[in-house]
Amino acid sequence: MVMSVKMEEKDYYSPPAPFANNPGIIRLTRDLPPAHYLFKINSFSLFAEAESIEKYESGVFESGGYKWRLLLYPNGNTKGNGDGCISLYLQIAETETLPLGWQVNVNFKFFVFDQIRDKYLTIEDAGAVKRFHQMKTEWGFDQLLLLECFNDASNGYLVNDSCIFGAEVFVIEYKAYWEELSMIKQPAGNPISFKIENFSKLDKECYDSPLQSVAGFKWNLSVYPNGDSRSKGTSLSLFLCLAEASGVPPERSLYVEYKLRVLDQISSNHKECSSANWFVANKSWGYIDFESLENLRDSSKGYLVKDSLTVEAEIVLISKVKCDS
């Protein structure tokens, strides 16, 4: 009788005890070689025993538009916590060519080739992005692998006195967009004023005031002396228009709290209405029936004096947005 036994494939690599309880370091295996750099060391034992070799600096390689090298300590970095271990670090190279104040954010992982199983052991910080800058030009691991584990031929890292290390370096380009919102109360330039002479003789449907700058934007008032199409013959229509909005980010609007008024030129008992709207360039907000024509022509109210009318807009609060990348 032949029994079928199902074999469960397991990850053969179990971290040695000193590493097993370090959740900050991830050690996994994979089939694919590193995308950016590999280097092989022959006669590793002679290399490790050489008295004057504390560390080995690899050749320079490029990734993400920057130059890099690996720093390998075959007997561990004794200035760190690398006694009894292989220590390996990534160093940014040719920093003299980088601009003043440079910084580079990087996700990277190291590789050690298992020559028996044809797999790569990968070592990386758990989700950590490392920031390289003038004061910190290298990052890595004091305890990449225990020398006991590395030298054990059954693990496949050191075979026939040769070994292979590698690295993947992924630069995180800074492309974040930022936005700054400010709310400005009673901005400079108020009020927007428009005096209309010979009011009774006006024959156009709409009159626009000259442009006036408030809070760095150009505004004007639009007056319909006999009302616009929705209130024709019954009321004065009055609107505030954002005429020019240079400096406003594309597809953005301005929040504006404002007051519109017709001035009482006798006793300052002005007709005033308050409102709040989101403005975009060439967009008007206001009132189709701001004041009845009957009241407007009532001389006791003081709106029309010597056949002149004065209207105003006061911007009480306005938003201002700055965006950049």
Side-chain angles (χ1 to χ4, degrees), residues 108 122 158 175 196 227 235 293 323:
F108 69 91
T122 67
L158 187 62
K175 292 184 179 179
I196 304 174
S235 301
L293 295 180
C323 296

Side-chain angles (χ1 to χ4, degrees), residues 75-92:
N75 296 302
N77 182 5
T78 56
K79 296 177 183 176
N81 191 28
D83 285 340
C85 299
I86 296 283
S87 301
L88 186 61
Y89 306 90
L90 175 69
Q91 183 185 68
I92 189 167

Side-chain angles (χ1 to χ4, degrees), residues 17 35 44 48 66 70 78 93-94 109 168 179 200 202 220 224 268-269 280 315-316:
F44 181 84
Y66 296 90
L70 299 183
T78 56
E94 300 181 11
K109 64 178 62 174
E168 282 183 349
E179 177 175 314
S200 63
L202 300 178
N220 70 274
Y224 292 75
S268 298
N269 187 24
V280 295
I315 294 177
V316 179

Side-chain angles (χ1 to χ4, degrees), residues 48 57 73 119 198 209 230 239 268 285:
E57 295 186 1
Y73 291 75
K119 289 180 179 289
N198 302 313
S209 69
R230 296 162 290 180
F239 302 93
S268 298
W285 289 100

